[in-house]
Amino acid sequence: MHAVDVLEIVGALTILIAFAAAQAGRLRQRTLSYQLLNFLGSGLLAVIALQESSWGFLLLEGSWAVISLIGLFALRKKVEPQQV
């Protein structure tokens, strides 16, 4: 097993842990933990897909990372005090 294989497994497990926890009712989707796990896992997989020229996988994981990043920014805006 190569280092890239280990990183792929780590990335996939990161996403799957967040998804399984959400499905089991242990983690809400609109939380920092959920969005961060998805962003880190999908970002890692997107980088690997780019390196391997796996375009379909890059589209999937890159989109997943961008959507998770948008979710992180939305949570940040929600937490920051509003200026008056």
Side-chain angles (χ1 to χ4, degrees):
M1 187 176 289
H2 297 97
V4 173
D5 296 325
V6 173
L7 290 173
E8 282 180 333
I9 291 168
V10 168
L13 284 174
T14 302
I15 295 168
L16 289 171
I17 287 168
F19 180 71
Q23 292 301 308
R26 311 277 279 153
L27 183 62
R28 290 190 331 222
Q29 292 176 338
R30 297 197 191 281
T31 61
L32 178 64
S33 300
Y34 182 83
Q35 297 297 334
L36 197 54
L37 286 169
N38 274 293
F39 177 69
L40 293 174
S42 60
L44 178 60
L45 291 174
V47 168
I48 293 169
L50 179 62
Q51 180 184 16
E52 300 291 323
S53 299
S54 182
W55 307 118
F57 194 48
L58 177 59
L59 175 63
L60 173 66
E61 294 305 331
S63 299
W64 197 307
V66 168
I67 292 166
S68 297
L69 188 59
I70 291 168
L72 284 168
F73 281 125
L75 286 172
R76 182 175 166 225
K77 284 184 178 182
K78 208 175 192 183
V79 172
E80 287 182 357
Q82 294 185 4
Q83 296 178 352
V84 179

